[in-house]
Amino acid sequence: MQAMKNALLTIVAAGLALLAPTAAFADDHGGDHGAEKPKWSIAIHGGAGTILPENITPEQRVAYEAALQEALDAGTEVLKNGGSAMDAVKAAIIPMEDNPLFNAGRGAVFTWEGENELDASIMDGRDRSAGAVTGVKTVKNPILLADKVRTNSPHVFLMGEGAEQFAGEQGFEVTPPEWFATQSRRESLERMKARELSALDVDLKFGTVGAVALDQDGNLAAGTSTGGMTGKRWGRIGDAPVIGAGTYADNRSCAVSATGWGEYFIRVGVAQDICSRLRFLRLMDPEVLKALMMRPADSDEIDLPQFSEQAQNAADAVMAEVKKLGGDGGVIVAIPEGDVFYSFNTAGMYRGRANSDGLNEVAIFGGEDEAGASNTPDH
């Protein structure tokens, strides 16, 4: 009986340590590890869905791969020069918001009323500060406005006219509607209305864009931006601007950005669920428990065991849950150890990743990655 009590006390003590807001993790990129070179990593996505080779021309494939590489390079440049994860996330997302190939910023889908309404969110893993906007129509780069909400307002989430008023007060220029509108997106809406189709019938992919990053100081960040779903009505809001559903970052666990059928990602709470699972997996890991119990009383740091496989499994499990409910999509994930990976339950996902070890790759279809991706469409 006493042994059981001791075991329970150990778990409780470990849980309190891991759950404490001030707890810090010392791993391969942090803590006192001598002259070891700090790690950095980044992953991006540009949408997930029924993305098959037969649905894309060779020219389209080249264009998407070039756009993904441009975004990846922008984020990589920040990180390799010692910049913050937050700045890297913004740097990677802005080119995708400006590129009409993606459903974010320029190239956003149309609402039922024929307008482009934009959503975005961003989160800093250092202090879990976050900012989000939804339903904005005149802001060229919503991810930048979301970050201003995080840093320059007492709020987390602003909507519609209020968000645009805040944007004006922060010095954002008013971007005219024609900047966002593209003919292909307008045709999707017209086809939807004429044939009484669903958004899934006219959009073969969810074009939401996002990025997650780990910087050389060991900090995580995540951001997501989207135009939503074709023909959305009644002020519909998806998961992209919802902290905990489409975006989440916490230095103690991971950073996640999602793309997919937003209603299901909201119901599952995908981004935070993945991060929460990782925190509790660490809690139950014998090596973590041992490190917690043996650390000096005046230290808030612990050495983490390698956790890549467990992290991939956690992401896959959450995406399987989304699939079980009827939803499709994918996530990109970054963890403190320096690994970045994907999990998606669709045929493909526009994606890319890079790190300080020299990895640099972009991919579109399932099974194209050397490692670090799980594509499980049959869940």
Side-chain angles (χ1 to χ4, degrees), residues 15-318:
L16 291 173
L18 286 180
L19 293 173
T22 57
F25 291 126
D27 47 57
D28 289 345
H29 55 72
D32 184 11
H33 291 278
E36 186 174 354
K37 186 178 180 180
K39 291 183 178 181
W40 59 262
S41 57
I42 185 170
I44 62 170
H45 68 74
T50 309
I51 305 171
L52 300 168
E54 56 266 31
N55 294 333
I56 299 178
T57 67
E59 293 77 15
Q60 288 174 325
R61 178 170 184 170
V62 169
Y64 272 108
E65 289 176 343
L68 290 169
Q69 190 64 60
E70 178 187 8
L72 189 63
D73 288 346
T76 295
E77 188 69 18
V78 172
L79 294 171
K80 73 179 184 181
N81 289 320
S84 71
M86 288 292 291
D87 285 343
V89 163
K90 289 181 286 184
I93 289 176
I94 288 171
M96 293 189 284
E97 287 183 329
D98 291 344
N99 193 318
L101 289 175
F102 302 106
N103 174 21
R106 190 181 190 188
V109 299
F110 283 89
T111 67
W112 186 262
E113 293 77 19
E115 296 181 303
N116 306 112
E117 293 183 351
L118 313 171
D119 308 331
S121 62
I122 194 166
M123 189 166 185
D124 190 334
R126 291 174 294 188
D127 56 5
R128 284 171 287 167
S129 60
V133 294
T134 186
V136 298
K137 303 175 184 178
T138 66
V139 178
K140 181 181 178 182
N141 295 114
I143 194 66
L144 296 181
L145 180 58
D147 195 45
K148 286 295 185 181
V149 173
R150 181 184 71 89
T151 60
N152 290 11
S153 86
H155 307 301
V156 170
F157 203 169
L158 301 183
M159 64 175 285
E161 292 182 4
E164 293 187 340
Q165 179 183 345
F166 174 76
E169 294 174 0
Q170 296 298 311
F172 284 77
E173 294 183 2
V174 173
T175 303
E178 53 266 26
W179 164 261
F180 305 104
T182 60
Q183 186 58 32
S184 63
R185 299 297 192 189
R186 194 179 298 278
E187 290 172 356
S188 292
L189 177 64
E190 292 171 352
R191 191 165 66 252
M192 177 184 186
K193 288 184 173 182
R195 302 181 189 175
E196 297 185 353
L197 301 172
S198 72
L200 300 181
D201 292 321
V202 296
D203 292 328
L204 295 176
K205 68 179 182 66
F206 304 94
T208 296
V209 306
V212 295
L214 170 76
D215 62 33
Q216 294 187 37
D217 293 323
N219 296 313
L220 293 165
T224 313
S225 182
T226 188
M229 297 183 78
T230 297
K232 60 183 180 179
R233 307 176 74 176
W234 311 299
R236 179 263 186 188
I237 301 170
D239 66 300
V242 178
I243 299 300
T247 302
Y248 203 76
D250 185 341
N251 278 8
R252 300 170 299 175
S253 54
C254 67
V256 179
S257 175
T259 175
W261 196 339
E263 280 71 12
Y264 292 93
F265 281 68
I266 292 172
R267 288 164 59 186
V268 174
V270 165
Q272 187 172 14
D273 192 6
I274 292 172
C275 290
S276 295
R277 289 182 186 225
L278 293 187
R279 286 180 62 199
F280 284 103
L281 280 171
R282 294 186 194 281
L283 166 63
M284 301 310 296
D285 189 300
E287 292 300 318
V288 174
L289 291 174
K290 180 180 178 181
L292 280 166
M293 300 309 295
M294 296 183 65
R295 72 181 181 183
D298 60 349
S299 173
D300 283 331
E301 294 189 344
I302 62 172
D303 289 312
L304 296 180
Q306 289 300 307
F307 215 67
S308 302
E309 184 176 353
Q310 295 95 320
Q312 180 75 68
N313 291 341
D316 290 347
V318 174

